Amino acid sequence: FDPDTNMTYFGTGNPAPWNETMRPGDNKWTMTIFGRDVDTGKAHFGYQKTPHDEWDFAGVNVMMLSDQKDKDGKLRKLLTHPDRNGIVYTLDRTNGDLVSANKIDDTVNVFKQVDLKSGTPVRDPEFGTRMDHLAREVCPSAMGYHNQGHDSYEANKQLFYMGINHICMD
């Protein structure tokens, strides 16, 4: 909950069934960070992190709020979310605009990068879970690089503290 914006922030889970060939499309509103008005319940924004999730990355983990200066020195209200998919997302928490999306570390291979203009992750098909393909060393595993542990932001040092997993799968 952010009293300055009067919004609450939360993530939604993965689509089902896990077998991605059985559910075409992006599976809208799954794997999404929502910002909702506390009084009305109206969604101010929804940002989908993993359209058509095929790895079971359920994006319900912690949302850390901070106030930080951007490149131009302007103070911004931010939301930072380390996701199970191996990407740390930072959004403007007033409107949901994507500020940054960076790999937790270089071993994340299911995505090559996140296109900051569209907000869409660029997949590497070698690490997909489709039925006609045996993928090996898929990083992160279904457990995710970040799961349901709690993280924190230390405002004076402007540092995030996060617990991560480093587990891959076949």
Side-chain angles (χ1 to χ4, degrees):
F1 170 68
D2 178 11
D4 292 338
T5 62
N6 198 43
M7 282 194 273
T8 187
Y9 307 95
F10 62 93
T12 60
N14 55 291
W18 189 3
N19 181 340
E20 62 91 27
T21 60
M22 297 177 70
R23 49 174 177 76
D26 285 345
N27 311 127
K28 191 102 169 134
W29 309 123
T30 62
M31 307 300 299
T32 297
I33 296 172
F34 276 102
R36 288 189 180 270
D37 185 280
V38 172
D39 295 326
T40 66
K42 178 184 175 186
H44 286 279
F45 66 83
Y47 170 72
Q48 188 177 34
K49 300 163 291 158
T50 309
H52 191 78
D53 174 31
E54 59 189 275
W55 302 275
D56 190 32
F57 288 148
V60 297
N61 307 335
V62 69
M63 309 287 167
M64 294 178 282
L65 307 183
S66 66
D67 294 334
Q68 297 183 54
K69 291 183 180 178
D70 64 16
K71 295 174 188 172
D72 298 324
K74 179 183 171 193
L75 194 64
R76 293 183 79 174
K77 294 186 174 305
L78 302 176
L79 176 152
T80 299
H81 170 77
D83 198 66
R84 281 175 58 180
N85 72 8
I87 306 293
V88 177
Y89 295 90
T90 299
L91 307 178
D92 182 313
R93 72 179 191 253
T94 65
N95 59 20
D97 287 350
L98 181 62
V99 174
S100 68
N102 299 298
K103 293 181 179 185
I104 287 176
D105 71 32
D106 291 338
T107 61
V108 173
N109 60 20
V110 295
F111 304 122
K112 296 177 181 182
Q113 65 186 31
V114 175
D115 181 310
L116 292 179
K117 289 185 181 180
S118 69
T120 305
V122 179
R123 295 168 185 256
D124 186 330
E126 181 61 30
F127 302 103
T129 63
R130 59 194 182 277
M131 291 181 65
D132 64 347
H133 174 69
L134 177 58
R136 299 211 181 270
E137 291 300 314
V138 176
C139 300
S141 72
M143 183 178 181
Y145 270 13
H146 184 279
N147 208 320
Q148 297 175 7
H150 291 281
D151 302 312
S152 63
Y153 173 70
E154 205 288 301
N156 292 329
K157 294 182 180 179
Q158 294 186 335
L159 292 174
F160 291 94
Y161 296 90
M162 303 176 205
I164 62 169
N165 305 309
H166 182 80
I167 301 172
C168 300
M169 67 181 177
D170 290 346

